[in-house]
Amino acid sequence: MTITFFWIIAGELVFLCLTGFLFIFCITSLAEKEYRAFRRSGLIFIFLIAVNVLVYLSGEPVRTVVFAGMFFVFMIGILLFFLSPKPKSSISIRSEIKKIDQRDIIFARFELEKGTEKYNNYYKRFPERKAGDDKIRKRPDILTPDHIRKDPYLFNLAAAEFDFLEQQLTLVDGDKATKKTPVTAEDFTKYVKKVLKYLGAVDSGVCLLDQKYIYSHVGRGPEEYGSRIVNQHKYAVVFVIEKDFGMISCAPEAPVVVETAKCYLEIAHIGIVCAGLIRRLGYNARAHIAGSNYQAMVTPMAWKAGLGELGRVGILVHPRLGPRIRLGLITTDIPLVPTGPRVWGIQDFCERCRKCALNCPGRAIPENGKAVENGVEKWVIEREKCYYYWRKVGTDCSTCILTCPFSKPDNFFHGIIRWMALSSRWIQPLLVKGDDFFYGKHPIRKKSPL
Ligand code: SF4
Ligand code: SF4
């Protein structure tokens, strides 16, 4: 009798855990308007309750056998979870990394106007790029009248945001105070992280500024095209801005470009204010803001600062927000303490999940293995294919961001799933399948919040 009672309690606890988890999943899905996940988790929840009642009513010895069986299966599952090897893949540097010339990046190339001296000189140096780039040029650029007329309200809103951003470009640097305020590295690192959070960043980190990630020559922005970039700051402060999930859920339609522009504005605001604070304390600091003002590559520095890992998607995947972020950067010589890098397990997950690649309308994300590009082993994005698609739809697409399981809202339920995904390699394939089952293999787009 006592043993029977023990198994009933043990079995009921397992039921309680499973149904409780499914209930939270159900409610979360409803709140997020994820109706497929709501229906499926709801049906499984009801099914489990029905099984529980039937087992309870079925009497001895069925009840004891089922409850004991459930308890053992559950405990074995937990044991396997904790015994599973921890994710360990990370970014691998295979050979020397060479500085990138900003004039070669895709956005700088497409600012070159056909027939101008800059255009002719550039393609004289790189004739192999001309035919491919000119093919893309035949498509209307993002936020030009051909696209704007498709959705004048939203596209003009994005254009207005970019106009405002343009006015911030010259505010990124300035003179520092003549008298230095003494600071300690530990204190100021804590303080700057607090300030960034207060101003709106959701995460931040610090790394040593590695010269190989500074572009060699100016390719965009107010500084002289082709001039050498010199930045001798010792540290990079990188911060993260969250992209609104509702806006990204409309990918690849107009709301995504509105959201991107809004994040750029937030980055400009936070970066410029924070760099100004540091200069007022008597140290050099420069904000690097989007819309042609970066002197350095932010993604590798975000990785070095411990903010995430480069995913298959070709951009930084943050452990709580996935690729649904934008990164801001401040370089400075105020004393700071580096905060990274660390192995998150995101690259392990990407090896098992190919969702972004399978859903990329531009076929720009590799479905298979990594390759070495400029000394770094990674999934190499075909940037031209991606950008061609951007010009086709008139936005920065973002379908890959919407598709990524890590992009789900940062709440209790998804927090548990992400913790499991980054803690155990054995559970990762199950979570990949689970994401497809509950949310679908292809992203379900939502109505624009605007
Ligand atoms: S933005 Fe769109 S086209 Fe570019 S890689 Fe992502 S899904 Fe593909
Ligand atoms: S969709 Fe999957 S493969 Fe792509 S970045 Fe996200 S986790 Fe990695």
mmCIF file of all heavy atoms in Angstrom, residues 11-27 41-53 70 74 413:
data_model
loop_
_atom_site.group_PDB
_atom_site.id
_atom_site.type_symbol
_atom_site.label_atom_id
_atom_site.label_comp_id
_atom_site.label_asym_id
_atom_site.label_seq_id
_atom_site.Cartn_x
_atom_site.Cartn_y
_atom_site.Cartn_z
ATOM 1 N N GLY A 11 4.418 9.715 -9.817
ATOM 2 C CA GLY A 11 3.821 9.869 -11.153
ATOM 3 C C GLY A 11 3.073 11.189 -11.267
ATOM 4 O O GLY A 11 3.177 11.900 -12.277
ATOM 5 N N GLU A 12 2.339 11.533 -10.222
ATOM 6 C CA GLU A 12 1.573 12.791 -10.261
ATOM 7 C C GLU A 12 2.509 14.001 -10.327
ATOM 8 O O GLU A 12 2.194 14.999 -10.972
ATOM 9 C CB GLU A 12 0.658 12.904 -9.040
ATOM 10 C CG GLU A 12 -0.598 12.047 -9.106
ATOM 11 C CD GLU A 12 -1.526 12.379 -10.269
ATOM 12 O OE1 GLU A 12 -1.251 13.306 -11.034
ATOM 13 O OE2 GLU A 12 -2.526 11.678 -10.431
ATOM 14 N N LEU A 13 3.649 13.895 -9.664
ATOM 15 C CA LEU A 13 4.611 15.009 -9.729
ATOM 16 C C LEU A 13 5.127 15.191 -11.155
ATOM 17 O O LEU A 13 5.280 16.312 -11.647
ATOM 18 C CB LEU A 13 5.790 14.743 -8.785
ATOM 19 C CG LEU A 13 5.554 15.131 -7.329
ATOM 20 C CD1 LEU A 13 6.749 14.742 -6.472
ATOM 21 C CD2 LEU A 13 5.299 16.642 -7.206
ATOM 22 N N VAL A 14 5.375 14.057 -11.818
ATOM 23 C CA VAL A 14 5.825 14.132 -13.215
ATOM 24 C C VAL A 14 4.722 14.770 -14.070
ATOM 25 O O VAL A 14 4.981 15.673 -14.877
ATOM 26 C CB VAL A 14 6.198 12.720 -13.745
ATOM 27 C CG1 VAL A 14 6.466 12.763 -15.248
ATOM 28 C CG2 VAL A 14 7.407 12.183 -13.011
ATOM 29 N N PHE A 15 3.482 14.308 -13.882
ATOM 30 C CA PHE A 15 2.354 14.889 -14.618
ATOM 31 C C PHE A 15 2.271 16.391 -14.373
ATOM 32 O O PHE A 15 2.061 17.181 -15.280
ATOM 33 C CB PHE A 15 1.040 14.241 -14.173
ATOM 34 C CG PHE A 15 0.591 13.126 -15.073
ATOM 35 C CD1 PHE A 15 0.380 11.851 -14.576
ATOM 36 C CD2 PHE A 15 0.380 13.354 -16.429
ATOM 37 C CE1 PHE A 15 -0.031 10.824 -15.412
ATOM 38 C CE2 PHE A 15 -0.033 12.335 -17.269
ATOM 39 C CZ PHE A 15 -0.238 11.066 -16.761
ATOM 40 N N LEU A 16 2.434 16.748 -13.106
ATOM 41 C CA LEU A 16 2.336 18.156 -12.729
ATOM 42 C C LEU A 16 3.412 18.991 -13.446
ATOM 43 O O LEU A 16 3.131 20.077 -13.959
ATOM 44 C CB LEU A 16 2.497 18.268 -11.207
ATOM 45 C CG LEU A 16 1.870 19.499 -10.592
ATOM 46 C CD1 LEU A 16 0.357 19.434 -10.697
ATOM 47 C CD2 LEU A 16 2.296 19.618 -9.129
ATOM 48 N N CYS A 17 4.631 18.455 -13.464
ATOM 49 C CA CYS A 17 5.728 19.172 -14.139
ATOM 50 C C CYS A 17 5.403 19.344 -15.617
ATOM 51 O O CYS A 17 5.509 20.445 -16.173
ATOM 52 C CB CYS A 17 7.039 18.390 -14.032
ATOM 53 S SG CYS A 17 7.761 18.488 -12.428
ATOM 54 N N LEU A 18 4.994 18.235 -16.264
ATOM 55 C CA LEU A 18 4.756 18.289 -17.710
ATOM 56 C C LEU A 18 3.566 19.182 -18.048
ATOM 57 O O LEU A 18 3.658 20.040 -18.933
ATOM 58 C CB LEU A 18 4.509 16.880 -18.267
ATOM 59 C CG LEU A 18 5.706 15.925 -18.232
ATOM 60 C CD1 LEU A 18 5.316 14.552 -18.766
ATOM 61 C CD2 LEU A 18 6.873 16.477 -19.039
ATOM 62 N N THR A 19 2.468 18.980 -17.319
ATOM 63 C CA THR A 19 1.281 19.786 -17.650
ATOM 64 C C THR A 19 1.501 21.258 -17.265
ATOM 65 O O THR A 19 1.066 22.152 -17.966
ATOM 66 C CB THR A 19 0.017 19.246 -16.947
ATOM 67 O OG1 THR A 19 0.325 19.056 -15.575
ATOM 68 C CG2 THR A 19 -0.467 17.953 -17.550
ATOM 69 N N GLY A 20 2.235 21.486 -16.166
ATOM 70 C CA GLY A 20 2.525 22.871 -15.760
ATOM 71 C C GLY A 20 3.344 23.577 -16.833
ATOM 72 O O GLY A 20 3.048 24.716 -17.223
ATOM 73 N N PHE A 21 4.342 22.867 -17.342
ATOM 74 C CA PHE A 21 5.196 23.435 -18.388
ATOM 75 C C PHE A 21 4.374 23.707 -19.649
ATOM 76 O O PHE A 21 4.490 24.769 -20.274
ATOM 77 C CB PHE A 21 6.343 22.448 -18.680
ATOM 78 C CG PHE A 21 7.425 23.038 -19.523
ATOM 79 C CD1 PHE A 21 8.209 24.072 -19.049
ATOM 80 C CD2 PHE A 21 7.663 22.571 -20.804
ATOM 81 C CE1 PHE A 21 9.215 24.631 -19.831
ATOM 82 C CE2 PHE A 21 8.656 23.119 -21.592
ATOM 83 C CZ PHE A 21 9.433 24.154 -21.105
ATOM 84 N N LEU A 22 3.520 22.746 -19.999
ATOM 85 C CA LEU A 22 2.689 22.926 -21.204
ATOM 86 C C LEU A 22 1.693 24.061 -21.026
ATOM 87 O O LEU A 22 1.406 24.805 -21.965
ATOM 88 C CB LEU A 22 1.937 21.626 -21.512
ATOM 89 C CG LEU A 22 2.767 20.622 -22.306
ATOM 90 C CD1 LEU A 22 2.175 19.238 -22.204
ATOM 91 C CD2 LEU A 22 2.893 21.040 -23.764
ATOM 92 N N PHE A 23 1.194 24.205 -19.808
ATOM 93 C CA PHE A 23 0.247 25.298 -19.542
ATOM 94 C C PHE A 23 0.946 26.649 -19.760
ATOM 95 O O PHE A 23 0.411 27.542 -20.423
ATOM 96 C CB PHE A 23 -0.285 25.172 -18.107
ATOM 97 C CG PHE A 23 -1.294 26.210 -17.773
ATOM 98 C CD1 PHE A 23 -2.574 26.153 -18.328
ATOM 99 C CD2 PHE A 23 -0.979 27.264 -16.926
ATOM 100 C CE1 PHE A 23 -3.515 27.135 -18.034
ATOM 101 C CE2 PHE A 23 -1.909 28.239 -16.630
ATOM 102 C CZ PHE A 23 -3.181 28.178 -17.184
ATOM 103 N N ILE A 24 2.180 26.762 -19.222
ATOM 104 C CA ILE A 24 2.932 28.027 -19.409
ATOM 105 C C ILE A 24 3.200 28.258 -20.901
ATOM 106 O O ILE A 24 3.061 29.364 -21.420
ATOM 107 C CB ILE A 24 4.263 27.985 -18.613
ATOM 108 C CG1 ILE A 24 3.970 27.925 -17.118
ATOM 109 C CG2 ILE A 24 5.126 29.200 -18.922
ATOM 110 C CD1 ILE A 24 5.183 27.664 -16.259
ATOM 111 N N PHE A 25 3.547 27.173 -21.606
ATOM 112 C CA PHE A 25 3.800 27.253 -23.052
ATOM 113 C C PHE A 25 2.554 27.767 -23.774
ATOM 114 O O PHE A 25 2.606 28.673 -24.614
ATOM 115 C CB PHE A 25 4.198 25.851 -23.545
ATOM 116 C CG PHE A 25 4.610 25.775 -24.999
ATOM 117 C CD1 PHE A 25 4.838 26.910 -25.755
ATOM 118 C CD2 PHE A 25 4.793 24.538 -25.603
ATOM 119 C CE1 PHE A 25 5.227 26.825 -27.093
ATOM 120 C CE2 PHE A 25 5.178 24.445 -26.928
ATOM 121 C CZ PHE A 25 5.381 25.589 -27.674
ATOM 122 N N CYS A 26 1.413 27.180 -23.388
ATOM 123 C CA CYS A 26 0.128 27.514 -24.001
ATOM 124 C C CYS A 26 -0.202 29.008 -23.817
ATOM 125 O O CYS A 26 -0.516 29.715 -24.770
ATOM 126 C CB CYS A 26 -0.894 26.672 -23.263
ATOM 127 S SG CYS A 26 -2.182 26.078 -24.230
ATOM 128 N N ILE A 27 -0.096 29.456 -22.579
ATOM 129 C CA ILE A 27 -0.426 30.849 -22.255
ATOM 130 C C ILE A 27 0.556 31.796 -22.955
ATOM 131 O O ILE A 27 0.169 32.820 -23.522
ATOM 132 C CB ILE A 27 -0.351 31.075 -20.714
ATOM 133 C CG1 ILE A 27 -1.369 30.189 -20.007
ATOM 134 C CG2 ILE A 27 -0.537 32.523 -20.331
ATOM 135 C CD1 ILE A 27 -2.810 30.524 -20.339
ATOM 136 N N SER A 41 0.284 22.981 -28.310
ATOM 137 C CA SER A 41 0.620 22.765 -26.891
ATOM 138 C C SER A 41 -0.673 22.553 -26.089
ATOM 139 O O SER A 41 -0.712 21.750 -25.161
ATOM 140 C CB SER A 41 1.426 23.941 -26.334
ATOM 141 O OG SER A 41 0.702 25.148 -26.497
ATOM 142 N N GLY A 42 -1.757 23.232 -26.484
ATOM 143 C CA GLY A 42 -3.040 23.088 -25.800
ATOM 144 C C GLY A 42 -3.582 21.671 -25.948
ATOM 145 O O GLY A 42 -4.057 21.074 -24.976
ATOM 146 N N LEU A 43 -3.487 21.118 -27.172
ATOM 147 C CA LEU A 43 -3.993 19.761 -27.396
ATOM 148 C C LEU A 43 -3.189 18.738 -26.593
ATOM 149 O O LEU A 43 -3.753 17.820 -25.994
ATOM 150 C CB LEU A 43 -3.915 19.409 -28.891
ATOM 151 C CG LEU A 43 -5.019 20.042 -29.755
ATOM 152 C CD1 LEU A 43 -4.796 19.768 -31.224
ATOM 153 C CD2 LEU A 43 -6.405 19.531 -29.314
ATOM 154 N N ILE A 44 -1.884 18.924 -26.549
ATOM 155 C CA ILE A 44 -1.054 17.975 -25.781
ATOM 156 C C ILE A 44 -1.378 18.110 -24.286
ATOM 157 O O ILE A 44 -1.454 17.119 -23.567
ATOM 158 C CB ILE A 44 0.451 18.211 -26.055
ATOM 159 C CG1 ILE A 44 0.743 17.989 -27.534
ATOM 160 C CG2 ILE A 44 1.319 17.257 -25.231
ATOM 161 C CD1 ILE A 44 2.155 18.332 -27.961
ATOM 162 N N PHE A 45 -1.602 19.335 -23.871
ATOM 163 C CA PHE A 45 -1.971 19.580 -22.462
ATOM 164 C C PHE A 45 -3.268 18.826 -22.116
ATOM 165 O O PHE A 45 -3.326 18.092 -21.128
ATOM 166 C CB PHE A 45 -2.134 21.096 -22.263
ATOM 167 C CG PHE A 45 -2.664 21.487 -20.921
ATOM 168 C CD1 PHE A 45 -1.836 21.467 -19.807
ATOM 169 C CD2 PHE A 45 -3.992 21.873 -20.754
ATOM 170 C CE1 PHE A 45 -2.320 21.837 -18.561
ATOM 171 C CE2 PHE A 45 -4.477 22.241 -19.513
ATOM 172 C CZ PHE A 45 -3.635 22.221 -18.417
ATOM 173 N N ILE A 46 -4.283 18.978 -22.963
ATOM 174 C CA ILE A 46 -5.575 18.304 -22.715
ATOM 175 C C ILE A 46 -5.385 16.786 -22.760
ATOM 176 O O ILE A 46 -5.924 16.046 -21.926
ATOM 177 C CB ILE A 46 -6.629 18.774 -23.752
ATOM 178 C CG1 ILE A 46 -6.951 20.249 -23.506
ATOM 179 C CG2 ILE A 46 -7.902 17.927 -23.686
ATOM 180 C CD1 ILE A 46 -7.712 20.915 -24.620
ATOM 181 N N PHE A 47 -4.586 16.324 -23.731
ATOM 182 C CA PHE A 47 -4.332 14.888 -23.864
ATOM 183 C C PHE A 47 -3.699 14.341 -22.570
ATOM 184 O O PHE A 47 -4.115 13.309 -22.038
ATOM 185 C CB PHE A 47 -3.411 14.652 -25.063
ATOM 186 C CG PHE A 47 -2.943 13.237 -25.217
ATOM 187 C CD1 PHE A 47 -3.803 12.251 -25.701
ATOM 188 C CD2 PHE A 47 -1.650 12.864 -24.861
ATOM 189 C CE1 PHE A 47 -3.377 10.940 -25.829
ATOM 190 C CE2 PHE A 47 -1.214 11.560 -24.977
ATOM 191 C CZ PHE A 47 -2.084 10.594 -25.467
ATOM 192 N N LEU A 48 -2.718 15.072 -22.043
ATOM 193 C CA LEU A 48 -2.044 14.609 -20.815
ATOM 194 C C LEU A 48 -2.997 14.575 -19.623
ATOM 195 O O LEU A 48 -2.956 13.652 -18.807
ATOM 196 C CB LEU A 48 -0.851 15.509 -20.490
ATOM 197 C CG LEU A 48 0.448 15.216 -21.243
ATOM 198 C CD1 LEU A 48 1.549 16.130 -20.752
ATOM 199 C CD2 LEU A 48 0.877 13.762 -21.078
ATOM 200 N N ILE A 49 -3.860 15.580 -19.545
ATOM 201 C CA ILE A 49 -4.836 15.608 -18.439
ATOM 202 C C ILE A 49 -5.761 14.390 -18.566
ATOM 203 O O ILE A 49 -6.042 13.696 -17.575
ATOM 204 C CB ILE A 49 -5.682 16.914 -18.488
ATOM 205 C CG1 ILE A 49 -4.785 18.132 -18.296
ATOM 206 C CG2 ILE A 49 -6.828 16.869 -17.476
ATOM 207 C CD1 ILE A 49 -4.421 18.478 -16.885
ATOM 208 N N ALA A 50 -6.212 14.103 -19.811
ATOM 209 C CA ALA A 50 -7.126 12.972 -20.028
ATOM 210 C C ALA A 50 -6.432 11.662 -19.652
ATOM 211 O O ALA A 50 -7.022 10.797 -18.981
ATOM 212 C CB ALA A 50 -7.573 12.946 -21.487
ATOM 213 N N VAL A 51 -5.164 11.520 -20.061
ATOM 214 C CA VAL A 51 -4.411 10.300 -19.733
ATOM 215 C C VAL A 51 -4.301 10.165 -18.214
ATOM 216 O O VAL A 51 -4.513 9.080 -17.660
ATOM 217 C CB VAL A 51 -3.001 10.345 -20.379
ATOM 218 C CG1 VAL A 51 -2.111 9.234 -19.834
ATOM 219 C CG2 VAL A 51 -3.115 10.221 -21.888
ATOM 220 N N ASN A 52 -4.020 11.264 -17.567
ATOM 221 C CA ASN A 52 -3.876 11.252 -16.108
ATOM 222 C C ASN A 52 -5.173 10.750 -15.441
ATOM 223 O O ASN A 52 -5.144 9.882 -14.568
ATOM 224 C CB ASN A 52 -3.531 12.666 -15.630
ATOM 225 C CG ASN A 52 -3.112 12.691 -14.176
ATOM 226 O OD1 ASN A 52 -2.892 11.645 -13.577
ATOM 227 N ND2 ASN A 52 -3.010 13.869 -13.606
ATOM 228 N N VAL A 53 -6.307 11.277 -15.894
ATOM 229 C CA VAL A 53 -7.595 10.888 -15.300
ATOM 230 C C VAL A 53 -7.856 9.404 -15.550
ATOM 231 O O VAL A 53 -8.218 8.643 -14.642
ATOM 232 C CB VAL A 53 -8.740 11.770 -15.871
ATOM 233 C CG1 VAL A 53 -10.102 11.249 -15.419
ATOM 234 C CG2 VAL A 53 -8.543 13.207 -15.447
ATOM 235 N N MET A 70 6.296 6.186 -15.863
ATOM 236 C CA MET A 70 6.468 7.608 -16.204
ATOM 237 C C MET A 70 7.590 8.237 -15.388
ATOM 238 O O MET A 70 8.406 9.001 -15.898
ATOM 239 C CB MET A 70 5.179 8.362 -15.886
ATOM 240 C CG MET A 70 4.179 8.250 -16.986
ATOM 241 S SD MET A 70 2.954 9.500 -16.765
ATOM 242 C CE MET A 70 3.901 10.968 -16.771
ATOM 243 N N PHE A 74 10.974 9.810 -16.985
ATOM 244 C CA PHE A 74 11.250 11.220 -16.704
ATOM 245 C C PHE A 74 12.642 11.383 -16.072
ATOM 246 O O PHE A 74 13.434 12.233 -16.473
ATOM 247 C CB PHE A 74 10.159 11.749 -15.758
ATOM 248 C CG PHE A 74 10.215 13.239 -15.547
ATOM 249 C CD1 PHE A 74 9.835 14.116 -16.548
ATOM 250 C CD2 PHE A 74 10.641 13.764 -14.332
ATOM 251 C CE1 PHE A 74 9.872 15.484 -16.347
ATOM 252 C CE2 PHE A 74 10.694 15.138 -14.130
ATOM 253 C CZ PHE A 74 10.304 15.995 -15.131
ATOM 254 N N PHE A 413 9.328 31.368 -20.395
ATOM 255 C CA PHE A 413 9.229 30.105 -21.121
ATOM 256 C C PHE A 413 10.400 29.932 -22.099
ATOM 257 O O PHE A 413 11.108 28.922 -22.067
ATOM 258 C CB PHE A 413 7.883 30.017 -21.866
ATOM 259 C CG PHE A 413 7.814 28.780 -22.710
ATOM 260 C CD1 PHE A 413 7.612 27.539 -22.123
ATOM 261 C CD2 PHE A 413 8.024 28.840 -24.081
ATOM 262 C CE1 PHE A 413 7.587 26.381 -22.883
ATOM 263 C CE2 PHE A 413 8.010 27.692 -24.850
ATOM 264 C CZ PHE A 413 7.787 26.453 -24.245
#
